[in-house]
Amino acid sequence: SNQEVAININFPKSESDEYGYVKGVTYSLGDLWFLTSNGILRYNPVTQVQKGYTVKDGLVANEVDSLIVTKNALWATSHWAGLAKVPLD
């Protein structure tokens, strides 16, 4: 059976400002992945640890349109610049 779960995440103001607006969200490998207007924000709802990914980390553009997360890497696309593979820690 499907269950609906409501999650309210209040990022510190500096994080919200840094990542701009949320374009999409997906859940993978126990984390929520937010596609934003200025990179990807990974958030673990259990530990509340967050990590950001931008062009400094290997994205081809900060504005990400789609995302696939595997055990070792994230694959992100941008209509501005194509496909990027970013190794995960």
Side-chain angles (χ1 to χ4, degrees):
S1 72
N2 289 339
Q3 291 182 324
E4 287 188 26
V5 177
I7 298 174
N8 183 20
I9 301 171
N10 294 313
F11 293 112
K13 185 157 178 50
S14 61
E15 283 291 329
S16 300
D17 292 346
E18 182 178 348
Y19 285 93
Y21 62 89
V22 174
K23 296 178 61 179
V25 63
T26 189
Y27 180 81
S28 183
L29 304 175
D31 293 327
L32 289 166
W33 298 80
F34 295 89
L35 288 66
T36 77
S37 58
N38 199 26
I40 297 170
L41 188 60
R42 178 183 189 178
Y43 176 77
N44 185 293
V46 175
T47 64
Q48 298 186 357
V49 171
Q50 57 192 25
K51 177 174 175 34
Y53 299 88
T54 65
V55 292
K56 295 176 185 174
D57 302 293
L59 295 178
V60 292
N62 282 334
E63 190 159 341
V64 176
D65 296 314
S66 62
L67 177 70
I68 295 174
V69 181
T70 65
K71 188 165 59 169
N72 300 319
L74 61 89
W75 296 82
T77 64
S78 168
H79 67 277
W80 300 108
L83 176 68
K85 178 184 177 186
V86 179
L88 293 176
D89 305 336

